[in-house]
Amino acid sequence: MNNRIKRSTVLSTLAFTMASLSLPASSQTEAQNWDSVLQQAQGQTVYFHAWGGSQEINRYLQWAGKEIKSQYGVTFNHVKVSDIAETGSRLLAEKAAGKNEGGSVDMVWINGENFKSMKDNALLYGPFVSTLPNWQYVDKTLPVDSDFSEPTDGLEAPWGVGQLVFIHDTDTLNNPPMSYMEMLNYAKAYPNKLSYPKPPEFHGTSFLKSLLIELTDNDPALSKPVSEADFAGVTQPLWNYLDEFHKVAWRGGKQFPAGTAETIQLLDDGQLDLAITFNPNAVFSAQANGNLSPTTNAYAMNSGALSNIHFLAIPWNANAKAGALVAINFLLSPQAQSRKGDINIWGDPSVLSKQHLTGSAAQTQQFKSVAEPHPSWQSALEQEWLKRYGS
């Protein structure tokens, strides 16, 4: 499908969804438009599909749901999924069935490959981002209009900043490996003490991408759509590394943690010397909840931390578009972003400018950024990893 066809499909989808939402004419003021959205949202129920693998995030969303109900009369239901690709498949099935209204999904938490897939298949409502009253508070110096090098085109609103970092206990490992080659040497010196989540789990795939970037000195091919000609040559150092690493990894590389929560548990139990997370402040919330020792600390490799923005979007056929707009706008408010960034609650780095934040959210730590590869590399890496090591 060429870009002209894609754009026309998105525009026709937008025309349909705008009509179904019955927003006022563009000649009216933005305030009047938003008042109309608030009125339509009253009494709606929003089904928000989002990863459910973190107690801290789940508790935060429970709080957000109570606030959205209290302030706007909108019921906010967190539908927990293990991989948002499951939601993408559901939306594709609804598209194929011609279900262009009354869809089962009202909001999604996405980025990267999942966003590109939904965008390419015209599964998203919008553009809507610049119509949100709280858009004014977003830090525009962040890459909030691009997702893994794919332009967002106003189809998803930035929600937070993610960075791939490691957690260690300073009591047992005071000088952690600062590069992936040091990590391999450490694993050989101390077998059965390092691992990573099993791809295609998000943190496992992120580990593969971060490792590949360092091993290839960020090969320029990684910023372009993957090709069969490039893939084998560019990724060979990755497979050579993993072949060596798995021999000395936790459980001999025959079993892998299910996700970041399990690596944190294994670190706390003393089975692993490093846990992995995509939130540089997750260590603080884990300490506050008693899941990690106060002597634990997060760090990034010397080369930097794989970084991206994560986003909120609305499917083209959402049943509660107005409610979803209200919910997203609330989640971008200084109140919600300050609570989300509180290191004792979630600690997710905010997308708002610092002057709009209160408490620890205004001081959350971030590391030197390493850009994500083109989203097409993700699926290719996952498939090859599963072929080599998935059994």
Side-chain angles (χ1 to χ4, degrees), residues 211-240:
L211 176 55
L212 179 61
I213 287 169
E214 181 177 302
L215 293 177
T216 63
D217 197 22
N218 206 356
D219 191 302
L222 294 174
S223 64
K224 304 170 185 174
V226 66
S227 69
E228 190 173 338
D230 285 334
F231 184 79
V234 171
T235 61
Q236 192 55 52
L238 173 66
W239 313 125
N240 292 342

Side-chain angles (χ1 to χ4, degrees), residues 126 209 234 263:
K209 290 186 287 187
V234 171
T263 69

Side-chain angles (χ1 to χ4, degrees), residues 63-351:
W63 168 84
K66 292 177 182 176
E67 291 295 316
I68 291 168
K69 179 69 171 179
S70 172
Q71 295 185 35
Y72 304 105
V74 174
T75 301
F76 184 77
N77 289 333
H78 176 197
V79 180
K80 301 179 181 69
V81 296
S82 58
D83 188 336
I84 205 65
E86 301 166 11
T87 302
S89 297
R90 174 190 290 224
L91 293 173
L92 276 172
E94 291 185 1
K95 187 85 169 183
K99 191 176 180 61
N100 290 319
E101 58 183 15
S104 61
V105 183
D106 299 297
M107 269 177 64
V108 289
W109 179 15
I110 56 171
N111 71 349
E113 182 188 33
N114 290 307
F115 168 66
K116 180 166 173 52
S117 174
M118 290 187 192
K119 179 184 176 186
D120 287 350
N121 287 287
L123 300 180
L124 298 175
Y125 161 74
F128 70 88
V129 175
S130 62
T131 69
L132 301 172
N134 289 331
W135 173 246
Q136 63 183 307
Y137 303 122
V138 172
D139 181 358
K140 309 305 191 299
T141 66
L142 294 171
V144 294
D145 57 357
S146 178
D147 189 350
F148 284 49
S149 76
E150 180 71 24
T152 60
D153 295 334
L155 298 173
E156 56 177 2
W159 192 26
V161 181
Q163 293 194 303
L164 187 73
V165 298
F166 297 91
I167 302 174
H168 68 109
D169 192 326
T170 57
D171 273 357
T172 56
L173 177 56
N174 188 47
N175 187 28
M178 299 304 295
S179 72
Y180 286 107
M181 289 312 299
E182 286 186 13
M183 179 180 285
L184 179 58
N185 291 333
Y186 183 90
K188 290 179 177 179
Y190 301 95
N192 204 41
K193 299 297 286 184
L194 297 182
S195 190
Y196 59 94
K198 182 178 181 179
E201 194 277 336
F202 171 79
H203 298 84
T205 301
S206 296
F207 176 83
L208 297 184
K209 290 186 287 187
S210 179
L211 176 55
L212 179 61
I213 287 169
E214 181 177 302
L215 293 177
T216 63
D217 197 22
N218 206 356
D219 191 302
L222 294 174
S223 64
K224 304 170 185 174
V226 66
S227 69
E228 190 173 338
D230 285 334
F231 184 79
V234 171
T235 61
Q236 192 55 52
L238 173 66
W239 313 125
N240 292 342
Y241 180 103
L242 292 178
D243 286 345
E244 291 296 307
F245 182 74
H246 289 170
K247 293 175 185 176
V248 290
W250 179 70
R251 301 199 171 172
K254 302 298 184 184
Q255 186 176 341
F256 298 86
T260 179
E262 187 174 356
T263 69
I264 288 174
Q265 181 64 56
L266 291 169
L267 172 65
D268 193 53
D269 290 345
Q271 292 192 52
L272 289 182
D273 285 347
L274 292 177
I276 191 170
T277 176
F278 219 84
N279 177 359
N281 301 300
V283 62
F284 301 119
S285 56
Q287 289 169 353
N289 291 312
N291 294 327
L292 280 178
S293 162
T295 55
T296 50
N297 185 50
Y299 79 99
M301 296 297 184
N302 282 335
S303 56
L306 187 72
S307 304
N308 63 51
I309 306 289
H310 49 93
F311 296 83
L312 301 170
I314 304 171
W316 94 103
N317 67 344
N319 188 55
K321 293 186 183 70
L325 288 168
V326 168
I328 292 175
N329 189 62
F330 172 78
L331 292 172
L332 280 180
S333 67
Q335 176 194 8
Q337 286 277 307
S338 292
R339 186 177 180 88
K340 183 165 70 77
D342 187 323
I343 60 175
N344 294 311
I345 295 175
W346 179 354
D348 189 46
S350 177
V351 293

